[in-house]
């Protein structure tokens, strides 16, 4: 029992590895910011493309969402980081992660937005048009606020997935939280840094998960 | 009433595929005139009304508002011309995420570029006119159907339209709420607003309309004063329709 505690909950090891893990956490947070913001914006653009009445706009958007939801994000990541150099395109690990996850996330966010946009009754857009608002004004002031409110739990829960997904970056040696913890494990020859990393993810994500449940219950009510 | 036409529908046609909804519609509404459109459901009267601000795109024909053809020009021009044509829907379509006041000020601010103070003042005037100023801070979901429709009328009026279109404005209301909306429309007419109304409120038409238009099968079958249409209809289809609705 003692040896088990020592292997997984060794406070000394945890204390020693904390600075390294906090560095990793900082990188994870930076990644999250970039990937979530780009994903939210990119997803909206793709969703609007998806719903365009013009075929030459709609079709590429449909292909995009289908393709990048079907491709495993890890395959995408390794291809961009390790495959593209064969074409003479070299990207930093950070850039590779941002590009790979942007492609992946924006297609998921796009589907969520689309569900939201469809949920707003047609009469809302008609009322906006009839009062002289332009298409963009109608979208920004009338349609989007309602669409986003209707799918807020899904947007949030997708965001939780995005945060978890960033741990994949460890595969291409980007020193985010998981990579740092694994480094600390191999140096200290102790699993406690991994447990600590798991705890940090938990602290980061548990409030978000709670919030999703809260919204879902409120929308159901 | 020999006033100049404020709204003119000329040779309007609307087809969906091989299905013709509207055939060669010609109709003029003079300044300050209230024209009432009646007819069985599916007769094309709502589609005609929705063509007047191009919520429905006409297949051919012209829509002329105060001398300007809204079928010509860029989409920017269309947005601007829609400001001159107010529309009231059967389903109200208030914005549920905004207070009553914001519902009435949004287009004033964004489309007319009025300042917040101007828009608020204008909104309160219009809300007072429809008897809803006490609900300025309420949200649409807190209002009855009749109250929502009155706010929708205020939202359209706040943009100083030259014509108001009413698409079955009382059809979604409980009977006891219909009167409050009709009263507002009557008041508008008294103030000289040009109005084109699609509705089944025959009593209201008889009382307030300058002219009644009977539509069936996508064409205007007959038009005349309320006395002519309700008292002595000429066309067989008009007679049959009126005997059906009067029971």
């Amino acid at each position: 029992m003692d040896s088990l505690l020592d292997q997984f909950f060794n406070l000394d090891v945890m204390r020693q590895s904390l600075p390294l893990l906090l560095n990793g956490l900082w990188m994870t947070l930076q990644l999250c910011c970039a990937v979530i913001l780009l994903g939210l914006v990119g997803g909206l653009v793709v969703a609007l493309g998806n719903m365009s009445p013009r075929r030459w706009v709609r079709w590429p958007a449909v292909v995009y969402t289908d393709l990048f939801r079907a491709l495993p994000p890890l395959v995408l990541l390794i291809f961009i980081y390790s495959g593209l150099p064969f074409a003479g395109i070299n990207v930093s690990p950070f850039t590779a992660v941002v590009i790979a996850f942007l492609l992946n996330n924006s297609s998921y966010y796009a589907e969520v937005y689309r569900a939201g946009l469809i949920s707003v009754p047609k009469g809302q857009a008609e009322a906006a048009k009839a009062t002289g608002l332009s298409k963009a004004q109608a979208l920004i002031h009338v349609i989007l606020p309602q669409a986003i409110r209707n799918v807020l739990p899904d947007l949030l829960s997708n965001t939780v997935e995005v945060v978890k997904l960033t741990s994949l970056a460890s595969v291409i040696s980007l020193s985010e939280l998981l990579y740092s913890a694994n480094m600390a494990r191999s140096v200290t020859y102790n699993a406690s840094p991994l447990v600590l990393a798991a705890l940090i993810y938990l602290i980061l994500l548990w409030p978000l998960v709670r919030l999703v449940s809260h919204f879902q219950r409120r929308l159901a009510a | 009433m020999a006033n100049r036409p404020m709204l003119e529908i000329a040779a309007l046609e609307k087809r969906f595929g091989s299905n013709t909804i509207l055939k060669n519609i010609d109709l003029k509404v003079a300044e300050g005139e209230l024209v009432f459109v009646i007819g069985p459901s599916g007769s094309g009267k709502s589609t005609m009304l929705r063509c007047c601000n191009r919520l429905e795109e006409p297949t051919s024909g012209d829509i002329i508002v105060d001398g300007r053809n809204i079928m010509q020009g860029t989409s920017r021009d269309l947005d601007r011309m829609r400001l001159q044509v107010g529309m009231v829907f059967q389903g109200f379509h208030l914005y549920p995420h905004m207070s009553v006041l914001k519902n009435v000020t949004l287009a004033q601010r964004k489309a007319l570029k009025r300042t917040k103070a101007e828009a608020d003042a204008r909104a309160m005037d219009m809300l007072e006119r429809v008897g809803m100023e006490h609900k300025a801070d309420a949200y649409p979901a807190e209002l009855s159907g009749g109250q929502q429709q009155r706010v929708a009328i205020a939202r359209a009026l706040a943009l100083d339209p030259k014509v108001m279109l009413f698409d079955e404005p009382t059809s979604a209301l409980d009977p006891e709420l219909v009167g409050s909306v009709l009263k507002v429309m009557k008041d508008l007419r008294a103030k000289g607003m040009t109005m084109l109304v699609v509705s089944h409120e025959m009593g209201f038409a008889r009382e307030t309309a300058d002219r009644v238009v009977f539509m069936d099968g996508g064409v205007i079958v007959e038009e005349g004063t309320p006395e002519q249409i309700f008292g002595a209809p000429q066309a067989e289809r008009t007679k049959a329709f009126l005997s059906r609705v009067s029971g």
Side-chain angles (χ1 to χ4, degrees), chain B residues 162-174:
Chain B
K162 291 179 170 158
V163 188
M164 285 282 284
L165 309 172
F166 290 83
D167 189 7
E168 308 208 17
T170 57
S171 300
L173 298 177
D174 292 333

Side-chain angles (χ1 to χ4, degrees), chain B residues 11-229:
Chain B
L12 176 66
E13 296 239 351
K14 176 67 182 176
R15 285 190 294 272
F16 286 112
S18 60
N19 200 357
T20 304
I21 310 294
L22 295 174
K23 271 180 288 225
N24 202 24
I25 301 277
D26 286 297
L27 183 64
K28 280 182 191 162
V29 184
E31 187 175 12
E33 197 182 21
L34 192 162
V35 173
F36 218 88
V37 184
I38 61 171
S41 58
S43 59
K45 52 194 196 302
S46 275
T47 306
M48 178 189 78
L49 200 72
R50 291 163 56 84
C51 281
C52 292
N53 63 354
R54 287 175 71 185
L55 280 186
E56 211 72 72
E57 198 57 43
T59 306
S60 64
D62 292 308
I63 307 286
I64 296 150
V65 178
D66 196 19
R68 285 181 62 185
N69 193 341
I70 73 164
M71 298 307 295
Q72 291 161 2
T74 62
S75 74
R76 243 261 182 63
D77 294 333
L78 177 61
D79 293 339
R80 225 171 292 134
M81 283 186 273
R82 276 176 172 153
L83 284 166
Q84 308 185 343
V85 184
M87 185 159 199
V88 175
F89 300 89
Q90 181 177 355
F92 330 133
H93 303 330
L94 292 183
Y95 311 133
H97 59 299
M98 291 179 191
S99 69
V100 162
L101 185 67
K102 277 214 76 180
N103 263 277
V104 184
T105 55
L106 179 69
Q108 293 189 67
R109 304 278 322 270
K110 303 302 170 187
L112 283 181
K113 309 287 182 202
R114 285 184 184 152
T115 66
K116 186 176 182 321
E118 284 172 335
D120 284 354
R122 180 77 182 145
M124 288 313 292
D125 278 355
M126 290 304 109
L127 286 172
E128 205 177 320
R129 198 149 151 194
V130 301
M132 289 299 297
E133 74 280 10
H134 61 297
K135 293 286 190 187
D137 295 323
Y139 280 79
E142 303 164 37
L143 307 180
S144 74
Q147 291 176 322
Q148 288 189 49
Q149 193 61 298
R150 277 144 64 198
V151 172
I153 293 173
R155 176 172 67 182
L157 286 178
L159 302 167
D160 306 316
K162 291 179 170 158
V163 188
M164 285 282 284
L165 309 172
F166 290 83
D167 189 7
E168 308 208 17
T170 57
S171 300
L173 298 177
D174 292 333
E176 74 272 20
L177 301 175
V178 169
S180 68
V181 172
L182 295 184
K183 187 175 160 292
V184 166
M185 291 170 65
K186 213 166 153 181
D187 175 56
L188 266 182
R189 155 148 180 55
K191 293 220 162 73
M193 177 59 75
T194 308
M195 297 158 84
L196 183 57
V197 181
V198 168
S199 168
H200 295 289
E201 298 291 336
M202 300 300 168
F204 182 69
R206 214 183 260 270
E207 198 186 328
T208 58
D210 294 299
R211 230 163 2 119
V212 177
V213 171
F214 173 69
M215 279 181 76
D216 192 17
V219 297
I220 291 178
V221 176
E222 189 171 354
E223 59 173 287
T225 62
E227 294 76 35
Q228 286 168 341
I229 299 294

Side-chain angles (χ1 to χ4, degrees), chain A residues 124 126 129 137 141 146, chain B residues 50 82 94 96-97 110:
Chain A
Q124 292 291 309
E126 290 191 345
K129 270 197 253 177
Q137 288 172 330
H141 300 289
Q146 298 183 59
Chain B
R50 291 163 56 84
R82 276 176 172 153
L94 292 183
H97 59 299
K110 303 302 170 187

